[in-house]
Amino acid sequence: MDIQIAIVGLPNVGKSTLFNALTRSQAAQAANYPFCTIDPNVGVVEVPDERLAALKEVTHTQKVIPAIVEFVDVAGLVKGASQGEGLGNQFLSHIRECNAIAEVIRYFKDGNVTHVHDSLDPKRDREIIETELILADLQTLEKRMAKSISEARGGDKDKVAYHAILERLKPQLESGKLAIQAGLEDEGKELIRDLHLITMKPLMYIVNVGEEEIATIQESELRSELGLPAEAKVIPVSAKVEADLVSFTPEEAQSYLADLGLKETGLHHVIREAYELLGLQTYLTAGEKEVRAWTVKKGATAPQAAGVIHTDFEKGFIKAEVINWKDFVDCGSEVKAKEKGLLRMEGKEYIVKDGDVMHFRFSS
Ligand SMILES: Nc1nc2c(ncn2[C@@H]2O[C@H](COP(=O)(O)OP(=O)(O)O)[C@@H](O)[C@H]2O)c(=O)[nH]1
Ligand SMILES: [Mg+2]
């Protein structure tokens, strides 16, 4: 399951600094993922997962393959982009295929780094970005409506319903609401999926905070400064700290974080929240050949999880052997786990849990 997150924001807010830090620390491993897009603006980031190391120990395998998330560094969006300012908004097409949007907001104070709007005002900056995203969606919508109106005239039920949704969405966007805030039911969202509306995507806020504040700043404080509702995902990150971390060994990184009073890196936090935002979880496969993490939707059934590995696994699914990763590690082997009755046989209806180690039986 490919997860792509688009990084958007005004110029000079720290997007590339963050992107480089996230991806450079992983650059060496990127060769592991030949199926990933080769594009300088797309970075492959391994999902940190301590369960993999523990499983590696007990399976005595050499090969560990973490789950990955791709980040896309979208060129700076400026006020008026929808009217052609800056690079215009053509490049927003890059984010239409992304699963989620990470909006980077500047909160660090550094007089040496120019602010495009001269002053630090996170709420205003957020509104500028979101206005441009909304205007881009409005352009998409209006273009499509010119066609859908004549299609709907034919009286075809689906085409009428399609056009009605666009009619409903238009005033919402015009009033400055994100498409995701328009209260469409899942059916309606599904119907207009072909539009790839940017503001219909799940959104999280990465607030680039100065390193002196990163340990003490409260998410609630940032949320209110940004004028965001309680359910918005707000992640304080110091791009500078993340950039510093790149050159450190794991031990050095650990003590650097501790000195700053931080429990985890911004990368960890961002990825954790992204999984939450997208309703994702991880299951694992572990054998002598390799230990590997796979990303799957929460609520996925065993065959759907198998389908992440290969569509044939899903089609020919018979059953799955399932063991919790901790039980596996504590028992030291699959055989012991089986003796203790901790290895279960599950069928088609089984709902996969985070941390399940699974082995699929299928017919081809
Ligand atoms: N002091 C400070 N400067 C930063 C931080 N993040 C980025 N910068 C600086 O801000 C400038 C713009 O950063 P960049 O990542 O290129 O911004 P982008 O235009 O959003 O991609 C660069 O000079 C960075 O070194 C930060 O957390 N603290
Ligand atoms: Mg940049």
Side-chain angles (χ1 to χ4, degrees):
M1 190 174 188
D2 272 0
I3 309 299
Q4 273 205 339
I5 299 176
I7 301 178
V8 301
L10 290 175
N12 270 3
V13 298
K15 295 184 300 297
S16 296
T17 306
L18 196 63
F19 173 84
N20 289 333
L22 297 188
T23 55
R24 202 153 25 114
S25 57
Q26 314 284 334
Q29 288 100 332
N32 271 341
Y33 309 103
F35 49 85
C36 289
T37 336
I38 308 293
D39 182 322
N41 297 319
V42 179
V44 177
V45 178
E46 295 185 347
V47 177
D49 191 338
E50 55 202 16
R51 297 169 297 192
L52 292 171
L55 287 167
K56 180 174 187 256
E57 286 288 309
V58 291
T59 54
H60 308 291
T61 181
Q62 290 309 309
K63 199 166 165 196
V64 171
I65 307 182
I68 54 163
V69 169
E70 292 182 17
F71 284 91
V72 184
D73 186 14
V74 179
L77 202 56
V78 299
K79 187 172 181 168
S82 57
Q83 311 304 324
E85 285 298 320
L87 298 167
N89 64 6
Q90 292 307 314
F91 58 84
L92 288 178
S93 61
H94 294 311
I95 64 182
R96 298 204 186 275
E97 300 299 323
C98 288
N99 310 72
I101 310 256
E103 192 177 326
V104 180
I105 306 268
R106 175 165 169 176
Y107 199 76
F108 68 89
K109 308 165 187 71
D110 183 342
N112 295 320
V113 180
T114 313
H115 192 297
V116 277
H117 293 284
D118 295 324
S119 59
L120 200 64
D121 187 342
K123 182 161 182 280
R124 173 204 57 202
D125 292 356
R126 174 176 81 76
E127 285 164 355
I128 290 173
I129 290 299
E130 285 169 14
T131 301
E132 291 305 325
L133 297 179
I134 289 166
L135 288 171
D137 278 351
L138 206 50
Q139 287 173 353
T140 307
L141 196 77
E142 282 169 350
K143 214 152 105 202
R144 186 68 185 83
M145 280 177 100
K147 236 171 82 193
S148 70
I149 190 159
S150 56
E151 287 168 357
R153 270 191 213 114
D156 181 275
K157 203 171 109 255
D158 290 342
K159 292 190 166 136
V160 171
Y162 185 94
H163 185 69
I165 292 184
L166 304 194
E167 286 278 14
R168 193 172 139 197
L169 215 45
K170 191 167 176 251
Q172 300 284 329
L173 292 174
E174 281 169 342
S175 71
K177 274 209 185 96
L178 305 171
I180 202 167
Q181 294 167 333
L184 289 188
E185 310 76 27
D186 289 344
E187 264 169 47
K189 284 186 196 161
E190 189 55 37
L191 208 56
I192 59 156
R193 209 163 67 165
D194 64 316
L195 288 181
H196 299 291
L197 293 180
I198 297 165
T199 66
M200 192 66 98
K201 295 178 191 294
L203 178 64
M204 60 188 194
Y205 298 88
I206 299 182
V207 188
N208 189 7
V209 172
E211 64 205 293
E212 69 290 345
E213 268 185 301
I214 184 68
T216 50
I217 199 102
Q218 297 294 316
E219 277 171 36
S220 55
E221 186 185 338
L222 291 176
R223 195 173 284 115
S224 76
E225 285 236 28
L226 288 166
L228 287 168
E231 67 274 12
K233 285 223 172 300
V234 174
I235 309 155
V237 159
S238 163
K240 198 144 187 230
V241 169
E242 296 302 310
D244 289 346
L245 284 167
V246 172
S247 55
F248 293 166
T249 64
E251 295 74 35
E252 287 169 342
Q254 211 53 52
S255 76
Y256 181 61
L257 288 173
D259 286 349
L260 285 166
L262 296 172
K263 284 203 252 347
E264 62 175 349
T265 65
L267 167 65
H268 269 71
H269 196 175
V270 167
I271 292 196
R272 215 160 29 80
E273 296 285 359
Y275 267 57
E276 192 64 41
L277 183 70
L278 292 166
L280 301 172
Q281 61 178 353
T282 307
Y283 78 91
L284 308 128
T285 51
E288 275 165 32
K289 207 176 119 245
E290 65 180 34
V291 167
R292 183 160 181 169
W294 303 86
T295 304
V296 65
K297 283 249 177 222
K298 282 182 188 157
T301 60
Q304 285 168 341
V308 174
I309 301 179
H310 201 291
T311 45
D312 287 351
F313 282 26
E314 180 167 2
K315 277 190 237 137
F317 180 90
I318 299 170
K319 55 189 166 185
E321 286 172 10
V322 185
I323 176 172
N324 173 267
W325 77 275
K326 191 78 172 56
D327 289 340
F328 193 152
V329 170
D330 290 346
C331 293
S333 78
E334 238 169 0
V335 179
K336 286 240 178 63
K338 212 172 212 163
E339 284 168 13
K340 288 194 171 172
L342 293 167
L343 189 102
R344 311 176 315 270
M345 245 355 140
E346 300 284 2
K348 285 192 168 135
E349 314 294 322
Y350 178 68
I351 304 292
V352 175
K353 289 200 258 323
D354 192 70
D356 277 349
V357 179
M358 305 189 75
H359 183 77
F360 300 108
R361 303 259 182 91
F362 65 101
S363 61
S364 47

